[in-house]
Amino acid sequence: MPPVQVKGEVVSNKMLGAYHHMTVAAPGIAEQVRPGNFVAVGIGGAESSMLLRRAFSIYTASDRGVYGGTVEFVFAVHGKGTEWLARQRAGDPLDVVGPLGRPFRLPKEPLTATLVGGGYGTAPLFSLAEALRGKGCRVDFVLGAATTDRLFGLLEAKRISSSVAVTTDDGSTGERGRVSDVLPSVIERTRSDIVYACGPMGMLRAVADIAAAHGMPSQVAVEESMACGIGVCMTCVLPVRGEDGVTRMARSCVEGPVFMGDALRWEALGTVPADCLGAPVEVH
Amino acid sequence: MPPVQVKGEVVSNKMLGAYHHMTVAAPGIAEQVRPGNFVAVGIGGAESSMLLRRAFSIYTASDRGVYGGTVEFVFAVHGKGTEWLARQRAGDPLDVVGPLGRPFRLPKEPLTATLVGGGYGTAPLFSLAEALRGKGCRVDFVLGAATTDRLFGLLEAKRISSSVAVTTDDGSTGERGRVSDVLPSVIERTRSDIVYACGPMGMLRAVADIAAAHGMPSQVAVEESMACGIGVCMTCVLPVRGEDGVTRMARSCVEGPVFMGDALRWEALGTVPADCLGAPVEVH
Amino acid sequence: MSETVTTLRVPRQDPAPLGIDLSTRLAGVYFPNPVFTASGCAAAGQELGQFFDVAKLGAMVTKSIMLEPRSGRATPRMAETPSGMLNSIGLQGPGIEVFLQRDLPWLAERGARTVVSIAGSSVEEYVKLAQRLRGKPGLTMLEVNISCPNVEDRGKVFACDARAASDVIDAVRRVSSVPVFAKLSPDVTDIVAIARSVVDAGASGLSMVNTLLGMAIDTKTMRPVLAGVTGGLSGPAIRPVAVRCVWQVHQAMPEVPILGMGGIRCGNDALEFLLAGASAVSVGTAVFGDPMAPMRIIDELRAALAERGITDLADVVGRAHRPPEPYVPEGPDPEVADQ
Amino acid sequence: MSETVTTLRVPRQDPAPLGIDLSTRLAGVYFPNPVFTASGCAAAGQELGQFFDVAKLGAMVTKSIMLEPRSGRATPRMAETPSGMLNSIGLQGPGIEVFLQRDLPWLAERGARTVVSIAGSSVEEYVKLAQRLRGKPGLTMLEVNISCPNVEDRGKVFACDARAASDVIDAVRRVSSVPVFAKLSPDVTDIVAIARSVVDAGASGLSMVNTLLGMAIDTKTMRPVLAGVTGGLSGPAIRPVAVRCVWQVHQAMPEVPILGMGGIRCGNDALEFLLAGASAVSVGTAVFGDPMAPMRIIDELRAALAERGITDLADVVGRAHRPPEPYVPEGPDPEVADQ
Ligand SMILES: Cc1cc2nc3c(=O)[nH]c(=O)nc-3n(C[C@H](O)[C@H](O)[C@H](O)COP(=O)(O)OP(=O)(O)OC[C@H]3O[C@@H](n4cnc5c(N)ncnc54)[C@H](O)[C@@H]3O)c2cc1C
Ligand SMILES: Cc1cc2nc3c(=O)[nH]c(=O)nc-3n(C[C@H](O)[C@H](O)[C@H](O)COP(=O)(O)OP(=O)(O)OC[C@H]3O[C@@H](n4cnc5c(N)ncnc54)[C@H](O)[C@@H]3O)c2cc1C
Ligand SMILES: Cc1cc2nc3c(=O)[nH]c(=O)nc-3n(C[C@H](O)[C@H](O)[C@H](O)COP(=O)(O)O)c2cc1C
Ligand SMILES: Cc1cc2nc3c(=O)[nH]c(=O)nc-3n(C[C@H](O)[C@H](O)[C@H](O)COP(=O)(O)O)c2cc1C
Ligand code: FES
Ligand code: FES
């Protein structure tokens, strides 16, 4: 199902701890959303000095309701664009493109899955959890954040999963520490078969390493700076090892944002590894 | 009294025929306003692609009231900036600099004055009329516009003047034609001593010519594209003959917008007349 | 070329609804409308094909292709700037062979007119690319991206040196089966001199302009934002510079067709380039913010011509160079200017 | 200079509240803070004096002055563009004699440090201007605007020719009583080459950059907006180009002091130029939108340094050229980057 561009409308924009929870009426998008997809939102209108869309993982989408299809996402104010977005109110127009990106892949058989979320990175994991449970999978959550106000969806996680482990850097909720501190025990306790994760790069890498160490597959949703979000600009690339064993600079907006944890060249992030296809040869 | 920069707030923004009537709480500005002054309004906020202020003649200013000082102006939607301004609602912030420009000069003695306004150009004439009447002058109005919905302040003009003549291009109100068609008869009927005018250049020129033909002085408020409005950029210049008989490119934002009708080099507008101080000498 | 022309006259290319003829010609090649994509801002068409029919474009201009696969540069590769953006992609691409197998046929099947942009690091590489592309179905024109470092001249960019630029163009046009457009960089002291040299070398036309060299520094990390340190500035921010380049070159060589680009975001922007002397335009960065931009701009341009009572696009090309028309509204406030 | 320095150390120059030292030196001259006005964007100070005390500026840079009075060009002289503006003023001004009688004394009385910008159409004119300014009270530095047509070379702009540029600078610095800064144009193929030539000719420092040549066409009248057809592009739109120029020149000649400018609108923008290698900055177009901009930018810059735990402005000059600090936040989302 191809992405569509929709002149949507803000239904609500609420503070949620340190984050904003945005609901947008975006008919045509909601219907097609799968867990792990994201939307790209236009910022500031035609006279804005900000040309580029901002990408947000879809928290949930519903194709029913008075507004026709709605899409919800959770965002942190980071810079000028999200500041503007935080100021938008119910009824304001919002230009949305989506659904974008490759979603999480679901297992054929009913497995035990551990879902790891960092900060707002937890947002896309709830629809994933539901899809997994729909396939008869067991779902356990590990949620982490710097502080409690950045811990997203704890109650919801408890409602829809078999167990939830929580960490915060300051220990204000759950264990003091990182998700990577508790993930191994969770995996072992639940005899997990697969790990799904979304959050900052540092966390994703730690999660992928742990999964690998336990000889299990992981899928991680990355966050790379994106200019277009639709695959035409080549700004959002990461070094990824393909089925054929060859590393390519892969576009995270169309080949991702969900990648297999063992396909990402973690050690080479932010570089072009020498063995990458078409890597620059030093001219002497 | 130097101009000030004020973080003001929109009190109201109402449609008025084809125009918008904007009231802004701008304490510090209102107190100093004199007839013919203008304000320069910031457009679109910090992330706007529009850097320059928009200039608007002050319709009226009041230093009393709940909002502290308020300033009112009347504007037509012309391009992107005024489109934005038209969207602003009560409570929205508005950055205003003012009062700017040289106001109309008032006569010492109680004279008979004809005030000529074209379209929204009528706006600054009401405070002028009050000031003139305060000095015991007789005030007559000549108002013109393309169509009735662009005729501003007809009732108010009737209330505060001895007579009002009206023209519209389409004849929908008053006489069909231009203000210049009726001005001579008004001048003669009222034995006017001086003419004040504000409106588009074409009208101002016609008014100044008629005043000159009647051997009487005129003051006209011009409208030139302005980048700064405070006298530092040199974009808003017009060829003006000084007391010393020498023509200079004068900044309409600080030496104007009000000029003596006979000082403006009408025939040379949009050019640099050869006899202008420092005019380019052809290099061969 | 006549073949191409006729085959392109089929209705689905929407020649001119509302009785307005948007068709244009570049070096004798017919295009049903003047709105093209910009190289590197539309990949090879498949992605935009999800949003609109690429055959509805005046032409599809493909990402500059090189002989071999290229990884491009490390990330971050982009930075947003006021009304613009910086990019330093480093010409990532699959190489000409994959392009010929996978991308060009896809475009040909859909009936898209395709302008293939080629990039090399030596005259020889450009020539090889042009040879591989000879007579390939779907190929309508070549755009030669000479804003590339010349390995044979200590990495000096071809486009910044009249001699190097014309060497490339001369060599390419000798082997090309289609018209050859030279894509110029605005980062030069005298754009007209460069334009002259490539036209003298046989360029059929000029694509103007490529990005301006710029950079941004992250005040948090206190380091350059881009891994490549400097990058190309694009978007509405550069439009005045791009329009000036088109104006100057059309002024100097009115007979040379120009594909204008740089910050086109709406129909009026496109019209500005046409008035300056461009016969067609490329829409680049605007696509990132609005994937439908090229289709929207075609409609807006058609409406803009209609408003002005113009029925033929050709009437606006270079028109700003003509003396002012009598009916220019006087005074700054059109609505009461008739007072 | 030592005199100047001491006299400038009086408290009302606000040396460094919050224990942050914003003072900087250009060619040995002390300035209490690095925020200057830009030539042509602050006239000669009187108008801005209504909004703030001009002595609080790092320095006041005056509108380029010529020998004789100048009417400048016809109107329209400006066009707003995306995040920028075009101007074609044509160096309107009263001439050096009026400037010396009326403007410079006004600035001197107020204790403002004044950088006088001079412009000429021949080497001789520049020299005469520098001679008239010799030892005048209030004169702190000369900025030589070489973005002017050279009547002796068919109107070719001095700044676009290394030879012409260095001829002017060499002649001026021989007669000047104060440091001489050469103001460079970004409209050149190789800014480093031009910079080198003027430094070799004896420039004490460089002002970078002047406006980019651009133009706009009014799609209603279908004619150029500016009476002068082309004009200078300024504002945030050009900042990435300006920062790149400063970066390249500082990279090549780290010892040469740079007055950086081009699109500075807030304290972070100023910091970006300092990190690129500028020792001070000029604020131009931003003043049109916000007359208080220079004062605001001083405060924002001080706050930005405080946030980063930097107490001395000198620590950020050119810092972006140094290898990255260890504590650079990883990942795109700082707030949970510590996960
Ligand atoms: C696939 C994907 C999913 C995302 N999901 C979420 C989410 O659910 N919630 C949330 O709060 N944020 C999310 N982000 C990050 C979000 O896109 C950025 O926080 C946002 O773009 C910052 O914009 P800004 O204008 O506030 O910051 P600025 O720094 O002003 O942005 C400047 C430019 O850099 C880009 N940029 C800056 N930071 C990031 C970043 N971290 N990732 C990508 N681009 C960036 C912007 O898109 C813009 O083009 C996601 C990013 C991606 C790529
Ligand atoms: C002293 C003075 C008083 C004015 N009083 C009024 C008033 O009371 N009511 C009213 O409706 N308009 C008034 N104007 C005109 C008003 O400033 C313009 O209509 C407005 O700037 C147009 O901005 P825009 O963004 O809508 O148009 P755009 O065309 O997008 O503006 C682009 C640029 O051109 C400038 N510009 C465009 N048209 C004009 C113009 N006619 N005059 C000056 N600058 C212009 C803008 O300031 C801006 O910098 C006045 C202008 C001046 C100089
Ligand atoms: C991300 C990006 C990649 C680009 N890649 C190329 C390229 O491969 N070849 C080329 O000739 N121009 C390339 N360009 C330049 C554009 O084709 C165009 O000339 C320039 O961006 C100005 O147009 P715009 O402002 O509409 O984007 C690229 C531009 C961008 C923004
Ligand atoms: C209206 C205007 C007039 C200018 N006049 C001059 C001038 O007389 N001399 C000069 O050296 N630069 C002049 N400049 C260039 C500025 O000094 C500055 O170099 C340029 O505008 C970039 O800075 P900014 O983006 O902060 O404006 C002028 C710029 C503007 C906008
Ligand atoms: S963001 Fe443009 S290709 Fe991914
Ligand atoms: S608008 Fe700047 S001097 Fe008048």
Side-chain angles (χ1 to χ4, degrees):
Chain A
M1 306 147 293
V4 290
Q5 180 172 7
V6 177
K7 300 254 165 279
E9 182 181 311
V10 175
V11 172
S12 72
N13 184 6
K14 302 200 197 74
M15 283 299 291
L16 202 79
Y19 301 130
H20 295 260
H21 174 189
M22 171 76 82
T23 304
V24 190
I29 295 180
E31 295 73 356
Q32 314 180 26
V33 173
R34 286 163 60 198
N37 283 145
F38 66 95
V39 288
V41 176
I43 297 293
E47 303 316 323
S48 168
S49 63
M50 295 180 275
L51 301 178
L52 304 176
R53 288 172 183 270
R54 302 328 196 222
F56 302 98
S57 306
I58 296 167
Y59 163 42
T60 132
S62 124
D63 50 15
R64 285 166 270 82
V66 284
Y67 302 99
T70 58
V71 171
E72 303 178 34
F73 55 91
V74 175
F75 69 97
V77 169
H78 173 90
K80 300 184 256 76
T82 46
E83 267 164 28
W84 177 87
L85 201 57
R87 286 197 301 272
Q88 302 312 295
R89 297 277 156 269
D92 290 342
L94 201 68
D95 185 312
V96 185
V97 171
L100 296 167
R102 276 180 75 182
F104 290 106
R105 270 128 281 173
L106 301 176
K108 310 258 164 312
E109 328 71 40
L111 304 176
T112 297
T114 305
L115 277 51
V116 185
Y120 59 70
T122 305
L125 299 181
F126 298 105
S127 56
L128 172 63
E130 276 169 13
L132 287 166
R133 291 170 66 208
K135 290 201 168 292
C137 296
R138 169 191 165 122
V139 171
D140 301 86
F141 270 97
V142 179
L143 304 186
T147 52
T148 298
D149 62 340
R150 289 180 176 143
L151 206 53
F152 175 71
L154 181 50
L155 296 176
E156 187 172 0
K158 285 185 171 146
R159 204 170 56 249
I160 64 170
S161 68
S162 308
S163 78
V164 180
V166 177
T167 66
T168 50
D169 295 2
D170 64 356
S172 51
T173 303
E175 291 189 31
R176 159 179 269 107
R178 309 274 174 101
V179 291
S180 46
D181 301 333
V182 301
L183 179 59
S185 57
V186 172
I187 289 173
E188 285 143 28
R189 174 169 50 79
T190 63
R191 300 217 181 61
S192 186
D193 305 297
I194 180 167
V195 179
Y196 294 91
C198 183
M201 279 295 183
M203 181 198 104
L204 297 181
R205 180 177 187 172
V207 169
D209 290 348
I210 292 166
H214 288 71
M216 58 199 287
S218 61
Q219 293 182 30
V220 300
V222 303
E223 194 180 291
E224 263 292 331
S225 241
M226 295 182 173
C228 78
I230 59 171
V232 296
C233 77
M234 302 286 166
T235 60
C236 62
V237 297
L238 298 166
V240 175
R241 197 182 295 98
E243 326 279 65
D244 57 4
V246 177
T247 295
R248 295 177 182 77
M249 299 304 281
R251 294 163 299 173
S252 56
C253 66
V254 286
E255 296 160 70
V258 176
F259 290 101
M260 302 304 292
D262 60 357
L264 262 175
R265 294 285 300 272
W266 298 102
E267 84 292 351
L269 284 183
T271 71
V272 175
D275 63 345
C276 178
L277 181 68
V281 264
E282 285 313 315
V283 189
H284 296 293
Chain B
M1 304 148 295
V4 290
Q5 180 173 5
V6 176
K7 302 251 165 283
E9 182 182 312
V10 175
V11 172
S12 72
N13 184 5
K14 302 199 199 72
M15 282 298 291
L16 202 77
Y19 301 129
H20 296 260
H21 175 189
M22 170 78 80
T23 304
V24 190
I29 294 180
E31 295 73 356
Q32 314 180 26
V33 173
R34 288 163 60 198
N37 284 145
F38 67 94
V39 288
V41 176
I43 298 291
E47 303 315 325
S48 168
S49 64
M50 295 179 275
L51 300 179
L52 304 175
R53 287 172 182 270
R54 300 331 194 220
F56 302 99
S57 306
I58 295 167
Y59 163 41
T60 133
S62 122
D63 49 17
R64 286 167 268 81
V66 284
Y67 302 100
T70 58
V71 171
E72 303 179 35
F73 56 89
V74 176
F75 68 97
V77 169
H78 173 90
K80 299 186 256 74
T82 45
E83 267 165 29
W84 177 87
L85 201 58
R87 285 197 302 271
Q88 302 311 296
R89 297 276 156 269
D92 290 341
L94 202 67
D95 185 312
V96 185
V97 172
L100 295 167
R102 276 179 74 179
F104 290 106
R105 269 130 278 174
L106 302 175
K108 309 256 163 312
E109 326 71 42
L111 304 175
T112 296
T114 306
L115 277 51
V116 186
Y120 59 70
T122 306
L125 299 181
F126 298 106
S127 56
L128 172 63
E130 276 169 12
L132 288 166
R133 292 171 66 212
K135 290 200 170 288
C137 296
R138 170 191 164 121
V139 171
D140 300 272
F141 271 97
V142 179
L143 304 186
T147 53
T148 299
D149 61 342
R150 290 181 176 143
L151 206 54
F152 175 71
L154 181 50
L155 295 176
E156 186 173 1
K158 287 187 169 145
R159 204 169 58 250
I160 65 170
S161 69
S162 307
S163 77
V164 180
V166 177
T167 66
T168 50
D169 296 1
D170 63 355
S172 51
T173 303
E175 290 188 29
R176 161 180 267 107
R178 310 274 173 101
V179 292
S180 45
D181 302 332
V182 302
L183 180 59
S185 58
V186 173
I187 288 173
E188 287 143 28
R189 172 167 52 78
T190 63
R191 301 216 181 65
S192 185
D193 305 299
I194 181 167
V195 179
Y196 294 91
C198 183
M201 279 294 182
M203 180 197 105
L204 297 182
R205 181 177 187 173
V207 169
D209 290 347
I210 292 166
H214 288 71
M216 56 198 291
S218 62
Q219 293 182 30
V220 299
V222 304
E223 195 180 289
E224 263 292 331
S225 243
M226 295 182 174
C228 79
I230 60 170
V232 296
C233 77
M234 302 286 165
T235 59
C236 62
V237 298
L238 297 167
V240 176
R241 198 182 295 98
E243 325 279 64
D244 57 4
V246 178
T247 296
R248 296 178 181 78
M249 299 302 281
R251 293 164 297 173
S252 57
C253 65
V254 287
E255 298 161 66
V258 177
F259 290 100
M260 302 305 293
D262 59 357
L264 262 176
R265 293 285 301 273
W266 297 102
E267 83 293 352
L269 284 182
T271 71
V272 175
D275 63 345
C276 177
L277 181 67
V281 263
E282 285 313 316
V283 189
H284 296 295
Chain C
M1 295 284 65
S2 56
E3 246 94 310
T4 341
V5 177
T6 46
T7 56
L8 292 180
R9 277 210 177 287
V10 300
R12 55 180 283 280
Q13 312 291 346
D14 72 70
L18 314 181
I20 289 170
D21 183 2
L22 284 184
S23 71
T24 188
R25 281 171 183 283
L26 297 175
V29 185
Y30 169 93
F31 299 90
N33 72 67
V35 180
F36 297 14
T37 56
S39 180
C41 301
Q46 287 95 325
E47 297 81 1
L48 287 186
Q50 300 176 301
F51 293 91
F52 59 83
D53 173 3
V54 291
K56 287 217 157 59
L57 289 163
M60 170 71 206
V61 183
T62 58
K63 169 82 180 167
S64 294
I65 194 75
M66 303 191 74
L67 277 179
E68 301 302 327
R70 287 260 295 204
S71 66
R73 293 212 186 81
T75 55
R77 288 178 170 186
M78 77 100 170
E80 194 180 47
T81 67
S83 297
M85 70 173 280
L86 289 162
N87 87 84
S88 87
I89 308 300
L91 293 174
Q92 176 170 350
I96 187 69
E97 296 311 326
V98 173
F99 177 82
L100 289 173
Q101 288 155 34
R102 183 189 65 192
D103 299 336
L104 192 53
W106 185 91
L107 288 159
E109 278 160 29
R110 273 147 197 82
R113 290 149 299 284
T114 303
V115 177
V116 176
S117 171
I118 58 172
S121 48
S122 68
V123 172
E124 189 196 356
E125 279 183 42
Y126 283 102
V127 170
K128 282 189 182 150
L129 285 159
Q131 281 164 332
R132 286 295 286 122
L133 283 156
R134 271 188 78 83
K136 290 287 183 297
L139 174 67
T140 309
M141 253 174 39
L142 278 188
E143 183 176 80
V144 186
N145 174 8
I146 50 176
S147 297
C148 304
N150 176 358
V151 293
E152 283 151 1
D153 183 10
R154 307 186 307 336
K156 185 159 189 234
V157 172
F158 291 99
C160 293
D161 178 59
R163 177 64 193 278
S166 50
D167 288 349
V168 172
I169 298 306
D170 175 63
V172 168
R173 59 107 186 167
R174 291 177 188 282
V175 297
S176 174
S177 58
V178 291
V180 172
F181 269 52
K183 181 153 180 189
L184 304 187
S185 163
D187 293 328
V188 294
T189 309
D190 184 351
I191 187 95
V192 172
I194 304 281
R196 271 228 171 72
S197 68
V198 292
V199 167
D200 293 347
S204 330
L206 303 165
S207 297
M208 297 167 62
V209 293
N210 211 316
T211 53
L212 277 73
L213 190 65
M215 82 177 279
I217 295 172
D218 182 331
T219 54
K220 287 207 191 73
T221 63
M222 300 199 267
R223 295 279 308 153
V225 174
L226 301 174
V229 181
T230 59
L233 181 65
S234 64
I238 71 166
R239 197 169 67 237
V241 173
V243 170
R244 182 264 302 174
C245 290
V246 170
W247 170 277
Q248 288 179 321
V249 169
H250 183 76
Q251 181 97 300
M253 298 180 286
E255 69 291 351
V256 177
I258 295 173
L259 175 59
M261 71 202 77
I264 294 172
R265 202 178 179 185
C266 67
N268 266 335
D269 300 342
L271 181 54
E272 201 180 347
F273 277 86
L274 297 169
L275 291 164
S279 299
V281 298
S282 277
V283 178
T285 301
V287 169
F288 304 162
D290 177 6
M292 292 294 293
M295 294 300 111
R296 176 175 50 80
I297 289 169
I298 292 171
D299 296 339
E300 290 169 348
L301 182 59
R302 186 183 288 113
L305 295 186
E307 261 175 44
R308 291 157 183 74
I310 296 167
T311 55
D312 186 348
L313 186 94
D315 292 349
V316 297
V317 174
R319 183 169 187 150
H321 293 264
R322 291 192 229 149
E325 318 279 324
Y327 56 74
V328 173
E330 97 179 324
D333 191 2
E335 77 192 337
V336 287
D338 48 358
Q339 262 291 320
Chain D
M1 297 284 65
S2 56
E3 245 94 313
T4 340
V5 177
T6 46
T7 56
L8 291 181
R9 279 207 176 288
V10 301
R12 55 181 283 280
Q13 312 290 349
D14 70 65
L18 314 182
I20 289 170
D21 183 3
L22 285 183
S23 71
T24 187
R25 282 173 181 281
L26 296 175
V29 185
Y30 169 92
F31 298 91
N33 72 67
V35 180
F36 297 14
T37 56
S39 180
C41 301
Q46 287 96 325
E47 296 82 2
L48 287 185
Q50 302 177 301
F51 292 91
F52 58 83
D53 174 3
V54 291
K56 287 216 157 61
L57 290 162
M60 170 70 207
V61 183
T62 58
K63 168 82 180 167
S64 294
I65 194 77
M66 304 192 73
L67 276 179
E68 302 300 327
R70 287 258 299 203
S71 66
R73 292 214 187 77
T75 54
R77 289 179 170 186
M78 77 100 170
E80 194 180 47
T81 68
S83 296
M85 71 173 279
L86 289 162
N87 86 84
S88 86
I89 307 301
L91 294 174
Q92 177 170 350
I96 187 70
E97 296 311 326
V98 173
F99 177 82
L100 289 173
Q101 288 156 33
R102 184 189 65 192
D103 300 335
L104 192 54
W106 185 90
L107 288 159
E109 278 160 30
R110 273 148 196 81
R113 291 150 297 284
T114 303
V115 178
V116 175
S117 171
I118 58 173
S121 48
S122 69
V123 172
E124 190 196 355
E125 278 183 42
Y126 284 101
V127 170
K128 282 189 181 151
L129 285 159
Q131 281 164 332
R132 286 296 285 124
L133 283 156
R134 270 188 79 85
K136 290 286 182 297
L139 174 68
T140 309
M141 257 178 32
L142 279 187
E143 182 175 80
V144 186
N145 174 7
I146 49 176
S147 297
C148 306
N150 177 357
V151 294
E152 283 150 4
D153 184 8
R154 305 182 319 312
K156 183 154 188 239
V157 171
F158 291 98
C160 293
D161 178 58
R163 178 64 194 276
S166 51
D167 287 349
V168 172
I169 299 304
D170 175 63
V172 168
R173 59 108 187 165
R174 289 177 189 283
V175 297
S176 174
S177 58
V178 291
V180 172
F181 270 50
K183 182 154 180 187
L184 304 187
S185 163
D187 293 328
V188 294
T189 309
D190 184 351
I191 187 92
V192 172
I194 304 281
R196 270 228 173 70
S197 69
V198 293
V199 167
D200 294 346
S204 330
L206 303 166
S207 297
M208 300 170 58
V209 292
N210 212 316
T211 53
L212 277 72
L213 190 66
M215 81 177 281
I217 294 172
D218 182 329
T219 53
K220 286 205 193 72
T221 63
M222 301 198 268
R223 295 278 308 151
V225 174
L226 301 175
V229 181
T230 59
L233 181 65
S234 64
I238 71 166
R239 197 168 65 237
V241 173
V243 170
R244 182 264 301 173
C245 291
V246 170
W247 170 277
Q248 288 178 321
V249 169
H250 183 75
Q251 180 99 300
M253 297 180 284
E255 69 290 352
V256 177
I258 295 173
L259 175 60
M261 72 202 76
I264 295 173
R265 203 178 178 184
C266 67
N268 265 337
D269 300 342
L271 181 55
E272 199 179 350
F273 277 87
L274 297 169
L275 292 165
S279 298
V281 298
S282 278
V283 177
T285 301
V287 169
F288 304 162
D290 177 6
M292 292 294 294
M295 294 298 111
R296 175 175 51 78
I297 289 169
I298 291 171
D299 296 339
E300 290 169 348
L301 182 60
R302 186 183 289 112
L305 295 185
E307 261 176 45
R308 291 156 182 76
I310 295 166
T311 55
D312 185 350
L313 185 93
D315 291 349
V316 296
V317 173
R319 183 168 185 151
H321 294 265
R322 291 192 229 150
E325 318 279 324
Y327 58 74
V328 174
E330 98 177 326
D333 190 1
E335 76 191 337
V336 287
D338 48 356
Q339 262 289 322

